């Protein structure tokens, strides 16, 4: 009868790799959101996108001043 030790080690390793991959992806997601906001603000300040598109993508109130919001986003 053969030992099942090596196949079990391979299976456990694969499961740990999958868990690790998802853990990394979940940690990167909030960082990506911050950089998306920064890129949008940079495009707005360079006049590559208009005010309405910036407000829609950042989900901010229309009465807010996008320039001041972008200043605070870019400083953080």
């Amino acid at each position: 009868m053969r030992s099942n030790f090596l196949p079990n080690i391979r299976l456990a390793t694969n499961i740990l790799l999958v868990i690790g991959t998802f853990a990394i992806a979940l940690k990167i997601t909030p960082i990506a959101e911050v950089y998306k906001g920064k890129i949008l603000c940079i495009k707005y300040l360079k006049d590559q996108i208009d005010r309405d598109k910036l407000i829609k993508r950042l989900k901010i109130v229309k009465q807010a001043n996008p320039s001041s919001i972008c200043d605070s986003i870019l400083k953080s």
Side-chain angles (χ1 to χ4, degrees):
M1 206 154 98
R2 265 179 76 201
S3 171
N4 284 334
F5 183 71
L6 287 178
N8 288 341
I9 293 293
R10 284 190 202 119
L11 180 63
T13 304
N14 287 341
I15 290 171
L16 289 175
L17 284 171
V18 168
I19 291 171
T21 302
F22 280 108
I24 291 170
L26 291 175
K27 281 189 171 236
I28 290 175
T29 303
I31 298 169
E33 291 298 321
V34 170
Y35 281 104
K36 282 182 187 177
K38 287 185 178 189
I39 290 170
L40 281 173
C41 284
I42 291 170
K43 285 183 177 181
Y44 173 73
L45 294 174
K46 289 183 174 181
D47 295 326
Q48 293 176 352
I49 61 172
D50 61 348
R51 181 179 186 270
D52 293 332
K53 192 178 286 188
L54 178 73
I55 288 171
K56 182 179 175 185
R57 288 190 183 170
L58 288 179
K59 298 175 185 160
I60 57 177
V61 182
K62 283 197 178 219
Q63 289 84 12
N65 185 2
S67 296
S68 62
I69 291 173
C70 283
D71 288 340
S72 64
I73 289 174
L74 292 174
K75 287 180 182 177
S76 62

